[in-house]
């Protein structure tokens, strides 16, 4: 038969030659088919579970990363808003008020040695005002020195915003300008003082801080002692009240016992009287029977 004339024969019912007889399936082959089907379903379920797990981990890591970024940006935003918004101490303006008054009183820059003067001269008052100004600036200097190293490191690693870096530079410039201005004023008050004034101010600031801490500790100790004394007084009052209450209860108990004892005595007397009366009316006690009729 050629390829052009080939036709597919349709099996006719009853024609056994066209349809092969069904071959009986062995039990092992049936078990193999069931196992293959079950194994395929298990593999698909396992693959789906792994896929869901991977997807869940990816979502968790994405959310965690986003939270960390939000936290970092919030931290930088907070730093931008408050970290370097510093203000110079009021002692600066107070110094210039004293300086103007000293000039009005006849003080001249670079004249005399106010630190060695015993009396209250305009130059000595001005020197005291300048030292007060320097001492009040020490906390700002210490703060900027502490933050500077970290800010330079953050800036090198691009971990701070431009606004934060500008705020830091402005604050640093402000404090540096104050350092130089105090030195210049110190030389006007007393030549050569500029080399020592900041060291002296740091020393005085430390002494004042230690004195303030000692005063605070003493106040806390006094407060704790007063609280302890108050607690002791309250405890003594409580003990006295408990003793008075116990004594009152004892008196009440004694009074109650006296009442009970008196009542018992009366009952006993009454019983004795009843016994005596019954005994008097017994036959043969010398009383005629007809007397009571």
């Amino acid at each position: 038969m050629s390829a052009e004339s080939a036709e597919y024969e349709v099996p006719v019912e009853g024609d056994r030659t066209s349809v092969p007889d069904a071959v009986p399936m062995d039990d092992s082959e049936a078990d193999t088919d069931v196992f293959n089907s079950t194994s395929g379903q298990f593999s698909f379920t396992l693959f789906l579970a792994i896929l869901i797990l991977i997807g869940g981990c990816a979502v968790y890591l994405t959310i965690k990363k986003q939270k960390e970024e939000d936290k970092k940006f919030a931290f930088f935003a907070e730093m931008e808003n408050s970290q370097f918004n510093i203000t110079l101490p009021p002692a600066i303006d107070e110094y210039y008020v004293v300086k103007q008054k000293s000039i009005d009183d006849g003080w001249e820059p670079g004249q005399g040695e106010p630190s060695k003067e015993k009396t209250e001269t305009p130059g000595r008052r001005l020197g005291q005002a300048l030292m007060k100004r320097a001492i009040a600036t020490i906390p700002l200097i210490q703060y900027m020195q502490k933050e500077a190293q970290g800010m330079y490191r953050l800036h090198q690693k691009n971990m701070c915003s431009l606004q934060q870096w500008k705020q830091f530079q402005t604050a640093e410039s402000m404090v540096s300008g104050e350092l130089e201005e105090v030195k210049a004023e110190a030389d006007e008050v007393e030549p050569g003082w500029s080399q020592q004034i900041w060291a002296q101010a740091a020393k005085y600031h430390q002494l004042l801080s230690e004195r303030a801490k000692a005063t605070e500790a003493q106040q806390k100790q006094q407060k704790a002692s007063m609280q302890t004394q108050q607690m002791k007084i309250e405890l003594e009052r409580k003990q006295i009240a408990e003793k008075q209450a116990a004594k009152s209860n004892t008196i009440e108990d004694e009074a109650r016992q006296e009442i009970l004892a008196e009542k018992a005595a009366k009952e006993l007397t009454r019983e004795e009287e009843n016994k005596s009366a019954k005994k008097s009316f017994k036959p043969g006690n010398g009383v005629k029977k007809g007397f009571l009729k």
Side-chain angles (χ1 to χ4, degrees):
M1 182 180 297
S2 63
E4 289 80 3
S5 61
E7 295 181 357
Y8 292 98
E9 295 181 355
V10 178
V12 180
E13 184 179 357
D15 188 359
R16 295 182 177 274
T17 59
S18 59
V19 180
D21 294 336
V23 178
M25 183 178 295
D26 193 9
D27 291 342
S28 61
E29 294 179 355
D31 293 340
T32 301
D33 291 340
V34 172
F35 175 77
N36 291 334
S37 176
T38 304
S39 178
Q41 292 178 357
F42 176 76
S43 299
F44 175 75
T45 303
L46 181 61
F47 172 75
L48 184 62
I50 294 174
L51 186 63
I52 293 173
L53 181 62
I54 294 174
C57 292
V59 171
Y60 170 76
L61 292 176
T62 302
I63 295 174
K64 183 179 179 181
K65 184 178 180 181
Q66 185 63 38
K67 287 183 177 180
E68 290 177 353
E69 292 292 330
D70 294 341
K71 186 176 180 180
K72 182 174 68 174
F73 289 141
F75 172 73
F76 286 140
E78 184 179 356
M79 290 175 66
E80 290 176 359
N81 293 332
S82 61
Q83 188 179 14
F84 298 113
N85 291 336
I86 63 175
T87 56
L88 295 175
I92 297 176
D93 295 332
E94 295 172 2
Y95 166 77
Y96 287 111
V97 172
V98 175
K99 183 177 182 180
Q100 184 60 48
K101 190 175 185 306
S102 298
I103 293 174
D104 295 340
D105 292 340
W107 172 80
E108 295 181 4
Q111 300 298 321
E113 294 179 305
S115 61
K116 296 180 180 180
E117 295 175 358
K118 302 296 183 180
T119 59
E120 191 71 13
T121 62
R124 186 172 180 81
R125 286 197 302 268
L126 187 60
Q128 292 173 346
L130 184 60
M131 177 57 67
K132 181 180 178 182
R133 170 182 175 176
I135 292 172
T137 312
I138 290 295
L140 288 178
I141 298 173
Q142 293 175 342
Y143 176 76
M144 292 303 299
Q145 288 176 344
K146 179 181 177 182
E147 296 294 329
Q149 185 176 0
M151 281 302 302
Y152 280 111
R153 185 167 57 250
L154 291 175
H155 181 65
Q156 291 175 356
K157 295 181 178 180
N158 294 324
M159 295 181 64
C160 65
S161 65
L162 180 61
Q163 181 181 358
Q164 184 185 2
W165 177 247
K166 288 182 177 180
Q167 287 181 349
F168 167 72
Q169 287 182 317
T170 301
E172 189 178 39
S173 176
M174 185 185 303
V175 174
S176 298
E178 176 63 12
L179 285 170
E180 297 302 322
E181 190 171 349
V182 168
K183 287 182 179 181
E185 292 291 331
D187 282 336
E188 286 188 2
V189 174
E190 185 171 338
W193 194 22
S194 61
Q195 304 299 322
Q196 301 175 358
I197 185 170
W198 282 114
Q200 293 173 353
K203 182 179 179 180
Y204 286 136
H205 179 268
Q206 183 178 1
L207 291 174
L208 292 173
S209 298
E210 291 175 354
R211 185 179 301 174
K213 290 180 180 179
T215 303
E216 184 180 0
Q218 185 179 3
Q219 291 176 350
K220 288 183 178 180
Q221 185 177 2
Q222 290 177 352
K223 185 177 179 180
S225 178
M226 290 177 61
Q227 290 178 348
T228 303
Q229 187 67 22
Q230 187 66 27
M231 291 176 61
K232 184 178 179 181
I233 293 173
E234 293 294 334
L235 181 60
E236 290 177 354
R237 288 178 179 176
K238 185 178 179 181
Q239 291 176 349
I240 291 172
E242 290 177 352
K243 288 180 179 179
Q244 290 177 348
K247 185 177 180 181
S248 178
N249 292 333
T250 303
I251 294 173
E252 291 179 358
D253 292 339
E254 290 177 355
R256 190 180 299 109
Q257 291 176 1
E258 289 179 0
I259 293 172
L260 293 175
E262 185 178 356
K263 185 177 180 181
K266 289 181 179 180
E267 291 289 338
L268 183 60
T269 303
R270 189 178 298 110
E271 291 179 0
E272 292 294 334
E273 291 176 352
N274 291 336
K275 289 181 181 180
S276 299
K278 291 180 180 179
K279 189 174 182 181
S280 300
F281 288 104
K282 286 183 178 180
N285 285 341
V287 181
K288 294 183 179 180
K289 294 181 180 181
F291 182 78
L292 297 174
K293 293 183 179 180

